[in-house]
Amino acid sequence: MIMNKRILILIVMFAGFINSFAQQQQLPANNQFVDLTATVGKDQGAVAASYVYNWQLGQKRKFEIGIGGRFTSYFGTKKDFLTAPAKLARSTTFPFIIVFAGQQEKNFDTLTVQRPFVNAVNFTANLGYHLSSRWYGGFNIDVIGFTFGKKTNAVFTSNGVTVTEPVAKPAAFNVLLTGDNDYGSLNSEFFLKYDLNQRWSIRGVYQFLFAEYKTTTVKQIAPDGTSNDRFRNKANNFGVGVSYKIK
Amino acid sequence: MKKILFLLSLVVVVATSCSKQNATPTAPVNEIVDTATSNLKYSGVFMNGNEGTVKGTANIYLNDGKYQLQLKDFSVTNGPDLHVYLSKETQPINFVDLGKLKSTNGNQVYDIPGTPDFSEYKFALVHCQQYDVLFGKSQLQQ
């Protein structure tokens, strides 16, 4: 009799476990969508198209983490690109700490790119959280990829001396290494999304975008004698987007 | 949903059209150099560059250790983002940017920073910076 009771308890527990597992399985395990975004800033703008694959985590599947791919096209008029290499731009190059490190403004020279136009294709990392049944907040950032774009003329300014750079070109490779350690053109977004229906959503976006140009004939000679051809623009843009849920 | 896509397209159009055309003002400017206290050091007549037509004279004055560039009886075809340079070359590579052209017409004066060596910086130019096109050049001579 005692044995039967124990078996009965085990069966009930097992059934309960199966039942709860089955309920979890009914909730979606992943979320796939495509985004189209347009942003503007001072004398500049960007459009982006991305694919996102997020895994949904937690008992209520509110938290999302995932990967994706994004095409970003950045354009502007007469934008200043400053000295890019981390060892010249910041007081330390230690990963993550560099974000809070002081700027080495004495090393900054300026490349004024007359008509910047940069197209970047990158893998992305994504985070998100379902704030309510319709509201969703998130962050995404480019991790690694490549860039292509138009060559253009630029004006290089160093200690008041101006020199024409006839051919400035976008840096070809992109990789996220935190802060000014980054290479190339990388896009990131904080966004708030509102579900219009099961498929379509609209998004409000704050965009922080690195774009990098390299000189071909003119080189910066830093005070320590370092030669540099990499210059970076950090764009702060705001915009809107639409999102279409695939699954 | 069409409305949303329309709005998104509108944002893109606004973003792309936000770039400045940077046309130069056309209202005549009439700035003068005090010739009683300034000495004319260099002068040259403007000649056409690769785009448009230009007329007038470029004069370099020295007053109390500071140089000024005067564009006298000046006129030039309008263009985007026109700047005034002191340059070592007629197609500017090494130059001092004196700022945006104040007007396509009239008498204009530009302060020159520092004390450039006019044996090297021997050209006054009107140059479209955005598209790297020369509108006018004047060789400065004593």
Side-chain angles (χ1 to χ4, degrees), chain B residues 61-98:
Chain B
Y61 283 93
L62 179 63
N63 181 5
D64 196 21
K66 293 180 180 176
Y67 286 101
Q68 288 184 313
L69 169 67
Q70 179 198 44
L71 305 185
K72 189 177 180 187
D73 301 328
F74 178 80
S75 68
V76 67
T77 306
N78 207 344
D81 198 30
L82 294 183
H83 283 238
V84 179
Y85 291 168
L86 275 181
S87 176
K88 292 183 179 179
E89 309 86 6
T90 52
Q91 185 62 40
I93 298 171
N94 299 281
F95 61 92
V96 179
D97 187 354
L98 303 184

Side-chain angles (χ1 to χ4, degrees), chain A residues 106-117:
Chain A
K106 70 177 192 300
N107 291 336
F108 283 2
D109 283 346
T110 306
L111 184 73
T112 306
V113 180
Q114 301 301 315
R115 287 158 289 142
F117 182 52

Side-chain angles (χ1 to χ4, degrees), chain A residues 36-40 42-43 45 47 75 77-78 114-115 153 155 161-164 196-197 200 202 240-242, chain B residues 1 4-5 8 11-12 14-16 18-20 22 81 83 85 92-97 129-132:
Chain A
L36 289 174
T37 307
T39 55
V40 290
K42 188 176 184 304
D43 298 331
V47 290
F75 45 88
T77 305
K78 295 181 77 70
Q114 301 301 315
R115 287 158 289 142
N153 62 307
V155 173
V161 176
T162 41
V163 179
T164 295
L196 297 171
N197 53 45
W200 289 95
I202 54 173
V240 294
V242 292
Chain B
M1 195 47 54
I4 293 166
L5 289 173
L8 196 63
V11 170
V12 174
V14 169
T16 51
C18 270
S19 60
K20 290 178 185 172
N22 284 327
D81 198 30
H83 283 238
Y85 291 168
I93 298 171
N94 299 281
F95 61 92
V96 179
D97 187 354
Q129 190 177 79
Q130 190 171 342
Y131 294 95
D132 195 16

